[in-house]
Amino acid sequence: MISRSIEADWNGTFMQTETVVRSLMGKKRSSESVFCLLIHVRNLDRIADLLGDERATRIRNEIAKSLSCFGWAEKALCFRSNRFVVLHAGNRKSCTDLMERIGRMFRDTAFHGIFFQPVVGATELHSNDSPMDRLFMEMDVASRSAESGHQLFEFYSEEMYRNMRRLAELECDLFKAVENKEWEVYYQPKVSVDEHRIVGVEALIRWNRNGEAVSPDLFIPLAEKLGLIGHIGQAVMDKAFGFLRLSSMKDRVPIVLSVNLSPYQLMEPDFTQSVIRLTEKHGVNPRRIMFEITESAYMHHFDKAQNAIRQLKELGYTFSLDDFGVGYSSFQYLSRLDFTELKLDKSFVQSLAHNRKNRVIIRSIIGLAKQLGIAIVVEGVETKEQWKTLKTLNCHSYQGYYFSKPLSAEEWINLLAGKFILDTKTLIKI
């Protein structure tokens, strides 16, 4: 097997890489392939900003020297301040072994006292005529895919490229959707277990992108990454508060509207004031507005989120901790959390009827929550059997298709007016 790497400035990268690639293609055995590896050393460029160009150059040279100590010829090619290129002749397994060795080297070696984390993108050359710009594109795509998937390395594939193109197009469309406020809001009832009465409603965002529904699980994290979540959240609250005002005129019993929040919204300096402005705009009572925040996101931003929660609670708004029971749950948090409601994740419900352990866990959470004055809502209730089990556990309320799917604002108003019949097998009177 032949392994080779070179050193060059950015301006000479394509030319010098091409020279070595063509040479390596001519020297490799017929059973071997040529792989190009792009090694992205994360945070190296930021360290350069902190330590200065002279020390950063020494660190880069030290990394290149260490890469050259793997038994390869000459030196490592370095460009764009935090990326290196290595060429390797062998097979996919030998290339995988090589990238794992690179990972171990960075894990065990401190460069000028600093440990760095690499991300490696690899691509295989299929022809001696492969253009260099295509080669670098493939390496870069594989590297980005590895980084987004929290992997040490990835091999390039056409499917990976298509996925990245789709993501880029989705980002572009997301900016347009924010500008044009393309969001729809649907409303799913929260229903009391004992009385079969609607006690609340959760606002759920929907995005119809060119006639195709996009899951919030896909575009909400992307909006957070792109810094768009605040704009989206404002648009949803504007629609939801207007809906609450309209439905208040038809409600027989006042209900509470729940709106999902990203922790990034809570950390915005003017978030509290924007909530107040929208509340006053639509003339709704803060006590009829509940904000839901997922448990995992809340725990990651506990200190920063607490300040906004405290301010809003003083004004009468309430808070619900969503997806409780997944990942970070601990009873000790309940003594620190200032929440009115806990929503148990639907994973508890799926095996509720025949899983004794889940029933014991839910019974314990419900009992403790009641002693603390916290209401429990169980998500994902789809069958009569599940509802009956919740009733025996003295659960407060639930959501799910057993009672109703999420409804449009028009469907909800018709429901309150008695003009809409729920597509459900339950015999529930509103």
Side-chain angles (χ1 to χ4, degrees):
M1 274 182 272
I2 303 171
S3 298
R4 184 175 179 86
S5 49
I6 61 175
E7 183 179 51
D9 294 328
W10 168 241
N11 292 332
T13 296
F14 288 109
M15 183 180 300
Q16 296 193 38
T17 303
E18 183 173 15
T19 300
V20 177
V21 167
R22 306 308 179 206
S23 173
L24 191 56
M25 289 289 285
K27 294 178 181 179
K28 73 179 184 67
R29 301 187 185 99
S30 59
S31 60
E32 293 179 327
S33 299
V34 173
F35 294 89
C36 293
L37 281 60
L38 178 67
I39 305 164
H40 175 199
V41 183
R42 289 186 288 184
N43 295 330
L44 181 55
D45 51 350
R46 295 181 183 178
I47 292 296
D49 292 338
L50 293 173
L51 302 181
D53 291 338
E54 184 178 346
R55 188 174 177 187
T57 298
R58 290 201 300 268
I59 292 175
R60 279 192 288 270
N61 289 339
E62 191 174 322
I63 291 175
K65 182 179 179 181
S66 294
L67 288 172
S68 303
C69 293
F70 281 83
W72 313 326
E74 298 182 22
K75 300 177 182 178
L77 179 147
C78 176
F79 63 99
R80 284 186 178 174
S81 77
N82 64 348
R83 287 170 169 80
F84 299 79
V85 168
V86 166
L87 304 178
H88 172 73
N91 54 39
R92 193 178 179 94
K93 183 181 184 305
S94 66
C95 186
T96 298
D97 293 340
L98 185 61
M99 291 187 286
E100 290 176 345
R101 290 172 62 195
I102 291 173
R104 288 195 295 270
M105 184 270 286
F106 277 97
R107 184 190 64 200
D108 299 336
T109 306
F111 298 95
H112 283 259
I114 303 172
F115 286 93
F116 295 96
Q117 290 183 323
V119 175
V120 187
T123 188
E124 179 181 352
L125 271 73
H126 296 284
S127 168
N128 201 19
D129 298 327
S130 300
M132 288 299 102
D133 55 350
R134 172 76 185 188
L135 171 69
F136 276 85
M137 181 278 291
E138 292 181 1
M139 288 191 293
D140 187 56
V141 167
S143 174
R144 291 174 185 272
S145 178
E147 186 165 13
S148 65
H150 306 289
Q151 302 295 318
L152 169 62
F153 64 86
E154 288 277 12
F155 285 94
Y156 173 81
S157 69
E158 288 299 316
E159 179 63 24
M160 183 183 295
Y161 174 72
R162 287 192 291 270
N163 288 339
M164 196 153 290
R165 281 288 303 271
R166 284 194 289 266
L167 180 60
E169 292 168 358
L170 183 66
E171 289 182 0
C172 182
D173 288 347
L174 190 57
F175 277 100
K176 293 178 183 177
V178 169
E179 183 178 355
N180 299 327
K181 296 183 179 179
E182 297 176 7
W183 320 112
E184 297 178 26
V185 181
Y186 278 65
Y187 303 90
Q188 186 168 35
K190 293 181 182 179
V191 185
S192 66
V193 171
D194 288 335
E195 300 175 356
H196 302 312
R197 178 174 57 85
I198 296 176
V199 295
V201 60
E202 179 182 1
L204 301 170
I205 186 172
R206 294 290 184 265
W207 179 25
N208 192 314
R209 176 190 178 221
N210 301 324
E212 180 181 354
V214 183
S215 170
D217 292 339
L218 177 62
F219 73 82
I220 292 297
L222 184 60
E224 292 176 336
K225 175 184 174 183
L226 298 174
L228 300 174
I229 193 63
H231 299 286
I232 296 174
Q234 289 292 307
V236 171
M237 282 193 293
D238 195 9
K239 286 192 174 186
F241 290 5
F243 161 84
L244 180 61
R245 172 65 176 173
L246 181 62
S247 63
S248 296
M249 302 175 183
K250 299 180 180 294
D251 286 349
R252 300 175 189 176
V253 179
I255 61 173
V256 175
L257 169 74
S258 296
V259 178
N260 291 279
L261 289 184
S262 162
Y264 297 100
Q265 291 174 262
L266 288 168
M267 291 185 285
E268 292 176 351
D270 63 341
F271 177 72
T272 300
Q273 291 304 315
S274 66
V275 171
I276 294 173
R277 285 195 299 269
L278 287 174
T279 303
E280 293 176 345
K281 171 185 174 180
H282 294 286
V284 293
N285 187 340
R287 299 189 182 281
R288 296 188 63 187
I289 298 173
M290 176 180 287
F291 293 113
E292 295 189 12
I293 181 170
T294 59
E295 180 192 4
S296 58
Y298 177 70
M299 295 311 171
H300 278 304
H301 305 85
F302 185 88
D303 293 331
K304 294 181 180 179
Q306 273 294 87
N307 186 49
I309 290 176
R310 178 185 54 78
Q311 292 177 2
L312 289 168
K313 283 187 70 69
E314 289 176 354
L315 296 171
Y317 302 90
T318 56
F319 283 82
S320 172
L321 189 61
D322 198 6
D323 291 343
F324 189 78
V326 179
Y328 293 83
S329 294
S330 172
F331 284 129
Q332 67 174 335
Y333 283 127
L334 295 181
S335 64
R336 303 173 62 192
L337 303 178
D338 194 14
F339 284 82
T340 303
E341 175 186 274
L342 292 181
K343 295 186 73 175
L344 294 187
D345 184 71
K346 61 183 179 182
S347 60
F348 278 104
V349 177
Q350 293 170 351
S351 59
L352 188 60
H354 56 271
N355 189 321
R356 179 180 173 276
K357 290 183 179 179
N358 270 3
R359 292 199 298 273
V360 171
I361 292 172
I362 292 179
R363 190 187 299 275
S364 299
I365 295 174
I366 291 174
L368 183 58
K370 283 189 175 182
Q371 291 184 52
L372 296 173
I374 301 173
I376 293 287
V377 178
V378 179
E379 298 180 291
V381 178
E382 298 181 352
T383 68
K384 187 174 184 178
E385 189 177 21
Q386 292 171 345
W387 166 71
K388 282 185 174 180
T389 304
L390 291 178
K391 188 173 182 179
T392 64
L393 296 175
N394 296 317
C395 180
H396 179 263
S397 55
Y398 73 93
Q399 281 181 279
Y401 275 51
Y402 176 60
F403 183 82
S404 174
K405 66 179 183 179
L407 306 172
S408 67
E410 182 181 0
E411 289 173 330
W412 181 268
I413 297 303
N414 287 337
L415 172 65
L416 295 177
K419 299 177 182 178
F420 183 81
I421 300 175
L422 291 171
D423 181 16
T424 176
K425 297 179 181 179
T426 59
L427 299 176
I428 296 177
K429 301 296 183 182
I430 302 172

